[in-house]
Amino acid sequence: MQIIVQVALVLAVIIVSLALMRGGSNARHLAIRRIMLVLFAFLAALSIFFPELLTRVARLLGIGRGTDLVLYGLIVSFLVFMATTYQRFRHMESTLTKLSRRIALDETPPPGVDGPPERKEAEPDRRLTPPAHGGQ
Amino acid sequence: MSRTWIVIPMYNEASVVGTVIEGLRKEFPHVVCVDDGSTDGSQDIARQAGAVVVQHPVNLGQGAALQTGIEYSLQDPQLDCIVTFDADGQHRVVDALAMADRIRSGEADVVLGSRFLDDRTKLSPLKRLVLRTAAVQSRMSTGMALTDAHNGLRAFSPTVARGINLRQNRMAHASELVHQLAEMNPRWVEHPVEIIYTDYSKSKGQSLLNSVNIVADLFFR
């Protein structure tokens, strides 16, 4: 019985993560994530006040204690959180890349149609943006 | 008149990039150096050496710099070939010249450098093993029979260059590039090149541990 619950939980992690990762930031997914969060918070609070209630549910599922059930739920929601956050970061990174590239290209005169560029002596910095610090 | 552009991604390479660009400019008058947010004055050195410098306002990674350089070169209506070249002096200008000639003669649309086609390049056994494994992996996943999947010296025809869109900013861009090339299915060849491992390029180059990051990037894209 326990192994079935464990397999079901792992499957739930994968399916929910995939479902939430796809489409990323649309309103429906955000709503689902928020509902899940509220539900989880509610269950967690409930388990503090009525530990035996969750334990009964856990027994039903073949898991030892109610707190274990909460722990499993926490792991699932943490993984979903990680997956969606990762996705959001990737999205933000690609936006930043496009923006930076546009700035970089706009600040450089495009290749002319005449011959090879002249050898220039320490041309003044014509960038509008201040130089970056830090990096990697 | 036709033009070949050399694209050099650069990040804090002040001590070597000047020499590299001067060496290139004897054969290739058009060099674009994409500065990826260097803080050591590499930009001025590159400009004095005669390269066009395109500056990222923040550090984005080598893949992003390559893509920027390719897009800059594509603005040139007389473009006939794009060659990517590393800033740390590990590539040879003669190799780049031979590869550009193979593009310009119309022999191929893509010429990829490989350090395993002859025995000029000296490698440690472990590094050789990792690079060979990477080549086998990319062959299995793309069907392109490459011998060296992570060589920075490559030449593209403008048509192929227009089809390249690197989204992997950091180190996994080499694998991504091979994937995109495989999808375009151009006429491609490998060209034997020598990689010169100086103490400098060794210290700048990727450590073998970085292959872990590459694999992770490819898995979670």
Side-chain angles (χ1 to χ4, degrees):
Chain A
M1 187 62 193
Q2 197 156 356
I3 188 75
I4 297 171
V5 175
Q6 283 157 349
V7 168
L9 276 174
V10 169
L11 281 178
V13 177
I14 294 169
I15 292 165
V16 172
S17 307
L18 283 179
L20 288 179
M21 272 161 70
R22 201 168 305 190
S25 61
N26 75 39
R28 255 181 73 195
H29 286 219
L30 185 64
I32 294 171
R33 277 208 298 276
R34 283 174 177 167
I35 290 171
M36 277 170 54
L37 187 71
V38 169
L39 245 134
F40 183 75
F42 180 70
L43 280 178
L46 212 68
S47 77
I48 294 168
F49 288 111
F50 311 102
E52 43 327 309
L53 197 77
L54 266 181
T55 304
R56 221 172 297 152
V57 177
R59 285 270 159 72
L60 221 73
L61 293 169
I63 308 165
R65 300 175 307 163
T67 37
D68 289 350
L69 192 64
V70 175
L71 179 67
Y72 289 170
L74 181 67
I75 291 168
V76 172
S77 40
F78 176 68
L79 285 176
V80 169
F81 170 77
M82 244 172 60
T84 50
T85 306
Y86 182 77
Q87 205 66 9
R88 272 229 298 281
F89 263 111
R90 286 302 297 259
H91 187 76
M92 219 164 74
E93 194 188 52
S94 97
T95 311
L96 177 69
T97 301
K98 280 182 199 147
L99 181 64
S100 305
R101 180 168 297 136
R102 193 67 262 152
I103 291 173
L105 290 174
D106 284 352
E107 283 178 349
T108 317
V113 276
D114 37 271
E118 291 304 309
R119 215 185 163 83
K120 293 174 202 102
E121 290 306 321
E123 206 178 297
D125 206 327
R126 67 174 103 227
R127 296 188 309 155
L128 306 166
T129 45
H133 290 291
Q136 315 231 310
Chain B
M1 195 186 123
S2 61
R3 280 191 223 172
T4 295
W5 277 93
I6 305 283
V7 172
I8 306 179
M10 168 176 86
Y11 180 64
N12 289 347
E13 311 269 7
S15 59
V16 283
V17 75
T19 328
V20 171
I21 293 171
E22 269 157 26
L24 276 164
R25 291 251 307 163
K26 291 186 186 105
E27 301 293 344
F28 300 97
H30 298 92
V31 177
V32 56
C33 209
V34 182
D35 171 57
D36 197 20
S38 298
T39 48
D40 63 348
S42 302
Q43 305 90 336
D44 291 336
I45 292 165
R47 236 179 243 121
Q48 271 164 37
V52 173
V53 178
V54 180
Q55 281 180 271
H56 282 172
V58 288
N59 178 268
L60 295 172
Q62 198 184 16
L66 270 181
Q67 182 64 31
T68 303
I70 290 170
E71 286 184 20
Y72 177 82
S73 310
L74 284 172
Q75 295 175 354
D76 189 338
Q78 289 164 306
L79 179 76
D80 64 356
C81 178
I82 292 179
V83 178
T84 66
F85 204 88
D86 283 358
D88 58 6
Q90 64 170 344
H91 295 316
R92 290 167 48 109
V93 178
V94 281
D95 289 336
L97 198 60
M99 288 165 68
D101 282 341
R102 290 180 85 169
I103 295 283
R104 288 184 290 208
S105 71
E107 183 195 340
D109 296 315
V110 179
V111 182
L112 301 168
S114 171
R115 71 199 95 179
F116 295 116
L117 292 181
D118 58 24
D119 50 13
R120 282 183 294 169
T121 305
K122 303 283 173 275
L123 282 160
S124 72
L126 184 59
K127 184 139 193 166
R128 181 177 291 266
L129 178 72
V130 169
L131 286 166
R132 290 300 230 174
T133 313
V136 170
Q137 189 273 332
S138 79
R139 182 183 318 193
M140 288 196 303
S141 62
T142 65
M144 270 173 98
L146 294 175
T147 55
D148 187 359
H150 288 81
N151 197 301
L153 190 51
R154 315 172 180 94
F156 307 107
S157 72
T159 322
V160 168
R162 252 172 231 118
I164 297 172
N165 180 19
L166 297 176
R167 285 178 293 260
Q168 294 281 353
N169 280 359
R170 310 222 167 257
M171 287 331 249
H173 66 271
S175 319
E176 189 189 19
L177 182 60
V178 175
H179 275 269
Q180 293 186 357
L181 289 178
E183 269 168 36
M184 280 185 264
N185 197 17
R187 292 172 302 140
W188 66 277
V189 286
E190 277 194 318
H191 188 86
V193 301
E194 181 183 3
I195 305 289
I196 307 155
Y197 289 108
T198 58
D199 287 340
Y200 178 80
S201 76
K202 273 188 214 152
S203 72
K204 283 288 288 195
Q206 308 181 32
S207 90
L208 283 173
L209 262 182
N210 209 350
S211 42
V212 176
N213 295 336
I214 294 177
V215 172
D217 276 358
L218 288 175
F219 263 105
F220 301 107
R221 59 177 153 188

